[in-house]
């Protein structure tokens, strides 16, 4: 079984460029189905999830190929409207392809999505919105058969009971070529939504308010393919900052948008790191001894503290003197990395959605197993600072979201390799 081996305790330092955002690239890959012709997506990260997304598009009749950092997609040959259960099970965000398939084909067959087991992850908000836009949805045994009434979806006024990222994306992909106007109220405001809207508008969509709580879409008859550069991955950037901070090192991150980390940088500073922002770059220098943040870390929809960073920040807090409290408000099962961190000697108590971490410098290497994408990254961060040898197994999870994470840390001086 493949594993990453880390001999921890070395101070990391250096500079890094950040990969393109997984969570921006996936909906944009889905959105390429809306235009016939060649889309060129620069900075598209080469990951298990983007590979899965390409397999879905190929299954539907599209052509995809990688050229250096760009993913080239030509959807003119799209001729199928069913995503297999196997592919739906490999990735949660496969559900956001539904809106695009319906917009292009008028009908679709998909299955309840799989993905990381961090919670029940229902799709009721997606389905309710599509129904309001004129889609009939029949569900039987996890299979969803969807059909547009008439030959085109129509706009609608949508009120999301929760600012769901995926539901906002699905509605956008359905609405850009629907007949009439769609308004999404209580839309997700994550930066990845704004990136998707920027791509769609470059293709000729008419979207106002992308990245805000109210998004207005005036349907157009068709979109044109375009060349687009995907935003940097804010969670990968924060993961590198946490990994370096855990070792008492320093890092200079290039071409990131510090504004997308507005809820994260103050926590690192509160823990004793010196953080400076220079335009599109972030400099962090950590002290040998970090302190637990004074306030509990409560995950919230953007611009609150990102749930995706909770496991990774928890790994860092295991080395910070004092008590750190985490409150996970987004997903009901997102502490699965805790037993693995405890194998390294971490002191963590979990009660429902609250985890209490007593920091220490005495964590020691061990064999640990990835539980989900960000949980796997957390184990690598912990291994960088734990004394001795840590072996991280089940790399299939971390490879879904990080491009060669061990090489990135190795370039910063870590004794880390994959075998
Ligand atoms: C996206 O997932 C991200 N994935 C997740 O990142 C991220 O954690 C999440 O947004 C929150 O920021 C991608 O973008 C591919 P949601 P998504 O719909 O769209 C409830 C990672 O590690 N909900 O905003 O699934 C749901 O149960 C991944 O990169 C409903 O109740 O997130 C959850 O409690 C993990 N009904 C909350 O909303 C619905 O129909 C957030 O879900 C949809 C969601």
């Amino acid at each position: 079984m493949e594993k990453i081996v880390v001999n921890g305790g070395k101070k990391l330092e250096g500079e890094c460029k950040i990969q393109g955002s997984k969570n921006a690239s996936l909906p944009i890959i889905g959105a390429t189905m809306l235009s016939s012709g060649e889309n060129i997506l620069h900075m598209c990260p080469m990951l298990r999830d983007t590979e899965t997304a390409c397999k879905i598009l190929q299954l539907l009749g599209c052509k995809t190929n990688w050229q250096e950092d760009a993913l080239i997609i030509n959807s003119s040959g799209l001729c199928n409207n069913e995503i297999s259960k196997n592919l739906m099970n490999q990735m949660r965000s496969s559900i956001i392809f539904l809106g695009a398939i319906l917009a292009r084909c008028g009908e679709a067959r998909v299955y309840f999505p799989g993905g990381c087991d961090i919670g029940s992850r229902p799709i009721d908000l997606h389905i309710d919105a599509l129904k309001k836009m004129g889609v009939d949805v029949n569900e039987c045994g996890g299979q969803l058969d969807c059909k547009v009434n008439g030959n085109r979806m129509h706009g609608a006024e949508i009120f999301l009971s929760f600012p769901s990222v995926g539901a906002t994306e699905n509605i956008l992909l359905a609405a850009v070529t629907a007949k009439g106007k769609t308004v999404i109220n209580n839309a997700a405001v994550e930066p990845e939504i704004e990136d998707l809207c920027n791509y769609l508008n470059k293709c000729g969509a008419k979207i106002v308010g992308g990245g805000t709580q109210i998004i207005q879409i005036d349907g157009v008859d068709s979109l044109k393919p375009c060349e687009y550069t995907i935003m940097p991955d804010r969670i990968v950037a924060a993961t590198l900052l946490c990994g370096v901070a855990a070792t008492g090192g320093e890092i200079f991150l290039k071409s990131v948008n510090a504004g997308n980390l507005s809820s994260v940088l103050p926590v690192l500073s509160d823990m004793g790191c010196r953080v400076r922002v220079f335009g599109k770059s972030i400099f962090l220098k950590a002290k040998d001894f970090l302190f637990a943040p004074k306030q509990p870390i409560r995950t919230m929809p953007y611009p609150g503290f990102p749930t995706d960073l909770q496991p990774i920040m928890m790994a860092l807090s295991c080395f910070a003197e004092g008590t750190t409290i985490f409150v996970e408000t987004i997903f009901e099962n997102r502490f699965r990395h805790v037993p693995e961190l405890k194998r390294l000697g971490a002191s963590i108590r979990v009660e429902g959605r609250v985890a209490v971490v007593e920091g220490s410098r005495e964590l020691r290497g061990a064999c640990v197993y990835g539980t989900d994408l960000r949980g796997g990254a957390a184990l690598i961060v912990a291994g960088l600072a734990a004394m001795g040898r840590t072996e991280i197994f089940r790399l299939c999870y971390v490879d879904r979201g990080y491009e060669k994470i061990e090489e990135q840390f190795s370039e910063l001086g870590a004794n880390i390799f994959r075998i």
Side-chain angles (χ1 to χ4, degrees):
M1 184 193 282
E2 199 179 30
K3 63 187 176 185
I4 284 180
V5 177
V6 192
N7 292 301
K10 281 190 69 183
K11 263 189 204 298
L12 305 189
E13 57 182 281
E15 59 181 56
C16 257
K17 199 171 170 312
I18 301 300
Q19 73 179 59
S21 164
K22 167 180 86 77
N23 291 349
S25 58
L26 292 173
I28 289 174
I29 290 171
T32 62
M33 284 193 273
L34 297 171
S35 56
S36 275
E38 191 167 85
N39 282 277
I40 301 173
L41 305 180
H42 294 287
M43 281 276 287
C44 189
M46 204 174 277
L47 308 164
R48 283 171 61 97
D49 272 9
T50 49
E51 280 299 329
T52 300
C54 287
K55 283 184 192 150
I56 289 172
L57 260 60
Q58 288 158 16
L59 180 75
L60 298 174
C62 308
K63 285 192 172 53
T64 69
N65 67 73
W66 294 94
Q67 278 177 16
E68 288 155 24
D69 83 327
L71 176 61
I72 320 281
I73 299 175
N74 190 322
S75 298
S76 45
L78 193 148
C79 58
N80 183 8
N81 58 28
E82 178 174 354
I83 302 178
S84 68
K85 192 182 285 188
N86 171 47
L87 280 174
M88 290 292 295
N89 279 336
Q90 288 180 35
M91 182 174 70
R92 155 80 186 169
S93 55
S94 43
I95 192 64
I96 59 171
F97 288 66
L98 176 57
I101 299 171
L102 288 169
R104 188 74 191 270
C105 306
E107 54 187 317
R109 171 172 288 176
V110 296
Y111 300 85
F112 273 95
C116 286
D117 183 14
I118 55 177
S120 60
R121 307 187 79 177
I123 57 170
D124 54 309
L125 299 177
H126 299 242
I127 300 306
D128 293 348
L130 291 172
K131 285 180 176 173
K132 283 207 180 102
M133 297 175 72
V135 178
D136 283 337
V137 180
N138 292 302
E139 189 268 320
C140 178
Q143 176 178 304
L144 292 169
D145 285 314
C146 308
K147 186 164 175 42
V148 174
N149 282 319
N151 59 10
R152 197 175 170 190
M153 284 181 277
H154 56 73
E157 177 99 36
I158 312 280
F159 292 87
L160 290 177
S161 56
F162 181 88
S164 156
V165 171
T168 302
E169 292 164 347
N170 229 334
I171 298 164
L172 279 163
L173 297 187
V176 286
T177 56
K179 187 169 172 41
K181 187 185 187 84
T182 299
V183 181
I184 310 172
N185 299 281
N186 196 28
V189 300
E190 271 71 1
E192 293 78 20
I193 301 283
E194 186 176 3
D195 214 34
L196 172 62
C197 292
N198 290 340
Y199 163 78
L200 287 167
N201 279 340
K202 193 169 183 184
C203 293
K206 288 185 180 163
I207 304 170
V208 173
T212 73
Q213 288 176 313
I214 299 179
I215 305 178
Q216 301 189 56
I217 307 108
D218 286 307
V220 296
D221 289 337
S222 63
L223 297 185
K224 301 176 301 304
C226 78
E227 188 163 358
Y228 189 75
T229 299
I230 288 167
M231 63 176 273
D233 193 308
R234 59 191 170 103
I235 304 300
V236 169
T239 303
L240 292 167
L241 292 172
C242 289
V244 168
T247 68
E250 61 181 76
I251 185 169
F252 190 77
L253 285 188
K254 295 183 290 186
S255 66
V256 292
N257 182 338
N260 291 345
L261 293 171
S262 55
S263 60
V264 177
L265 299 182
V267 174
L268 292 168
S269 175
D270 192 23
M271 295 176 81
C273 298
R274 187 153 63 89
V275 180
R276 294 287 179 277
V277 175
F278 305 100
K280 289 268 184 197
S281 302
I282 299 174
F283 172 76
L284 173 142
K285 181 173 176 51
K287 289 185 179 147
D288 288 348
F289 288 95
L290 296 175
F291 303 100
K294 299 181 187 67
Q295 300 299 325
I297 295 176
R298 176 188 299 274
T299 64
M300 294 295 284
Y302 192 87
F305 192 92
T307 176
D308 292 348
L309 200 64
Q310 175 262 107
I312 294 141
M313 183 56 80
M314 187 181 289
L316 175 60
S317 71
C318 291
F319 301 91
E321 194 175 314
T323 302
T324 306
I325 296 172
F326 290 86
V327 184
E328 174 53 62
T329 71
I330 306 291
F331 291 109
E332 67 271 25
N333 189 29
R334 202 167 200 173
F335 287 143
R336 299 173 70 228
H337 48 282
V338 168
E340 298 305 313
L341 289 173
K342 291 170 85 168
R343 287 177 194 257
L344 299 168
S347 168
I348 307 172
R349 284 175 293 121
V350 172
E351 186 71 43
R353 293 203 179 210
V354 178
V356 180
V357 180
E358 301 296 344
S360 137
R361 301 295 304 171
E362 304 309 314
L363 273 67
R364 306 207 64 78
C367 287
V368 289
Y369 295 81
T371 53
D372 51 66
L373 164 47
R374 307 300 174 183
L379 299 177
I380 292 170
V381 165
L384 290 168
M387 300 317 289
R389 179 182 170 106
T390 296
E391 297 187 353
I392 299 107
F393 295 87
R394 278 200 222 124
L395 301 180
C396 55
Y397 293 114
V398 75
D399 289 343
R400 289 187 51 203
Y402 292 83
E403 268 183 334
K404 303 189 182 73
I405 187 168
E406 73 279 5
E407 289 182 15
Q408 296 192 59
F409 281 123
S410 174
E411 284 165 18
L412 293 168
N415 182 334
I416 182 173
F417 51 92
R418 180 186 292 239
I419 49 176

